[in-house]
Amino acid sequence: MLTPCTARATSRTPKFGARAAAKDARAKTASDTKEALFEALRVEGVRRAADLAASIAPGAGGTGSETGDAEPGGDAAAPSLVGRFLTRCLVEVDGPILQPRTAAGSELSPDLVTASADLEIALTTLVEADQAAKALPAGFTAADVMQLMTRLHPHLPIDADAAADLEARYLGLVLLGLRAHAESGQALPPGPRWESWVDLWRS
């Protein structure tokens, strides 16, 4: 026979269980909503980069130098398209968004896969044009562009203008070195595949 105290505790158990379940459901909904927002930002970041690269490509209706300035380390007579992309991307596109983190082993969303493929195609066009113009050496790949992006745009604990100046300085040095290597006629060792950059999203 149940005592009054035991009876009261027993009658409350389902209520507490329902309340906990409701709380868990709300937490899951909030988590799903937050992840959906992050996913939208990831896709938007990659899509913006793809559109930017496409706008710079030869025959796209623009040279990518709307400001009239050559990229750091470039030559105004023979500008590097990849240099222009990196120069503008460092300012216009959020670097961390271009390295979206996903759970280890998880699949990328269809929208992110599509945006990534478009970015690869657009960057490959820029790379091949630069290689033909001796602005980039053979062996340099579209994945190299994105690897440079993530390394040229770190979070530095300094003033934003000073950080931007450093980014421009080091980008200029990299572009000068790549151009000199291309003009020497020497090829780089085979560069990374696009999949190797995408795989970093799951690390």
Side-chain angles (χ1 to χ4, degrees):
M1 180 176 179
L2 295 175
T3 65
C5 288
T6 303
R8 284 196 297 272
T10 302
S11 66
R12 290 179 181 176
T13 300
K15 294 182 181 179
F16 287 142
R19 189 176 302 164
K23 183 178 180 180
D24 290 344
R26 288 195 299 271
K28 184 178 186 304
T29 299
S31 177
D32 290 345
T33 301
K34 184 177 181 181
E35 181 56 35
L37 175 59
F38 286 160
E39 177 66 10
L41 290 174
R42 292 172 187 135
V43 173
E44 177 64 14
V46 177
R47 171 57 56 198
R48 286 175 60 196
D51 290 345
L52 175 58
S55 74
I56 294 172
T63 63
S65 58
E66 289 78 1
T67 62
D69 297 327
E71 80 285 350
D75 180 345
S80 162
L81 300 179
V82 167
R84 285 176 174 169
F85 170 79
L86 287 171
T87 298
R88 289 184 55 189
C89 211
L90 287 172
V91 175
E92 299 176 20
V93 180
D94 193 342
I97 293 295
L98 288 174
Q99 186 107 350
R101 297 293 182 182
T102 59
S106 65
E107 294 298 322
L108 302 181
S109 72
D111 287 344
L112 188 53
V113 169
T114 299
S116 173
D118 290 345
L119 177 57
E120 179 189 10
I121 292 170
L123 287 179
T124 298
T125 299
L126 300 187
V127 168
E128 291 177 349
D130 277 354
Q131 288 170 335
K134 302 297 183 184
L136 287 177
F140 192 88
T141 69
D144 280 321
V145 179
M146 300 314 301
Q147 295 284 10
L148 277 178
M149 168 64 66
T150 58
R151 286 157 178 76
L152 287 169
H153 193 39
H155 290 291
L156 300 174
I158 58 177
D159 175 80
D161 290 339
D165 288 343
L166 280 178
E167 290 172 0
R169 172 181 173 81
Y170 293 123
L171 173 57
L173 293 175
V174 168
L175 293 173
L176 283 172
L178 288 169
R179 183 181 292 275
H181 202 89
E183 291 174 348
S184 74
Q186 299 180 33
L188 294 173
R193 297 175 299 108
W194 187 256
E195 292 78 7
S196 67
W197 178 66
V198 173
D199 283 344
L200 292 178
W201 296 355
R202 302 185 180 94
S203 61

